[in-house]
Amino acid sequence: MFNELIDGIVGVVLACLATLLTCYIVKERIDRRIFMHFLEASKERLHVLEELIDTSEIILEEIANITESGEKSSVRNSQIQQDLQHFYHKLASSDLEIVYKYMEYDSIVRVKNNLTSLKELSEKESFIDVDATSAGEDINEVYFIFNTNRQSVEEIMKININ
C-alpha cells in the first residue's frame, strides 16, 4: 500500500510538471506570434515613415535651391510660400491620417503644432524673409520628427527572437 501511495504522488507530480511545461511552450508560441505580428506592423510603419520623409526631403531641397538662387527676395519668398502651401496641404489632407495611425502620441502633438505654424505661414498675404526662414525651420522640424520615428522603428526591428 505504501508503494501505491508513492506511485500516486510521483504520478501527480509528473502530471503537474508536464502541465507546466505545456503551458510554458504554449505561452512562448503565443509570444512569438504576437512579436511576429508586431514586426509586420513595424515594417509597414517603416515604409510609411520613409514616404513621409521623402516628401519632406523633396520640399526641403526645393527650398534650399530657391534660397541659393540669385532671384529677388520677393520672388524667392513667393516660391518658398508656394512650396510651403503644397507641403502643408499634403500633410493636412492625406498625410495627417497616416501620422495619426503610425506615429507615437508625442510626435503627433509636435507635428500638429508645426502644422498650425505652417498653416499661419501659408495664409500670410505678404511673405517676407523671416517667414521663409521660419517655414524652412518648421518643415525641417517635421522632417526631424518623421526621421526620429523611423529610427526608433528601425531599432525595434533589430530585435531578434530565437
Side-chain angles (χ1 to χ4, degrees), residues 2-159:
F2 181 73
N3 286 340
E4 292 172 2
L5 185 62
I6 296 287
D7 289 342
I9 292 173
V10 168
V12 168
V13 169
L14 288 175
C16 289
L17 288 175
T19 303
L20 288 174
L21 181 63
T22 302
C23 288
Y24 175 77
I25 291 170
V26 169
K27 181 188 176 305
E28 287 298 314
R29 285 186 178 177
I30 290 171
D31 288 346
R32 182 167 176 82
R33 187 174 299 154
I34 289 170
F35 181 75
M36 292 309 216
H37 178 69
F38 176 76
L39 281 180
E40 285 299 316
S42 294
K43 287 178 186 176
E44 182 180 346
R45 184 177 173 201
L46 184 63
H47 175 72
V48 167
L49 286 169
E50 287 175 351
E51 288 178 4
L52 292 171
I53 288 169
D54 289 344
T55 301
S56 302
E57 285 176 341
I58 289 168
I59 295 295
L60 287 171
E61 286 176 19
E62 287 180 17
I63 290 175
N65 291 338
I66 292 167
T67 303
E68 293 172 1
S69 70
E71 296 184 38
K72 288 179 22 181
S73 178
S74 60
V75 173
R76 271 196 329 255
N77 291 340
S78 175
Q79 290 174 339
I80 290 173
Q81 187 178 24
Q82 288 174 354
D83 285 341
L84 166 70
Q85 289 169 341
H86 172 74
F87 180 77
Y88 166 74
H89 289 297
K90 184 172 182 342
L91 185 60
S93 61
S94 60
D95 291 346
L96 196 57
E97 293 175 20
I98 294 170
V99 168
Y100 284 143
K101 185 174 180 182
Y102 291 102
M103 293 179 65
E104 304 295 327
Y105 177 76
D106 61 329
S107 297
I108 293 170
V109 170
R110 290 172 53 206
V111 167
K112 283 191 70 164
N113 289 341
N114 282 299
L115 197 60
T116 303
S117 175
L118 291 171
K119 179 181 180 184
E120 291 171 4
L121 288 171
S122 70
E123 294 174 345
K124 280 195 159 193
E125 292 295 322
S126 60
F127 202 76
I128 58 175
D129 289 340
V130 173
D131 296 330
T133 302
S134 180
E137 290 171 355
D138 286 344
I139 293 171
N140 196 39
E141 176 66 22
V142 171
Y143 166 79
F144 179 75
I145 294 167
F146 293 156
N147 197 32
T148 302
N149 274 268
R150 181 190 65 187
Q151 290 171 352
S152 69
V153 172
E154 287 173 343
E155 288 297 317
I156 290 170
M157 291 181 67
K158 287 180 184 176
I159 298 172

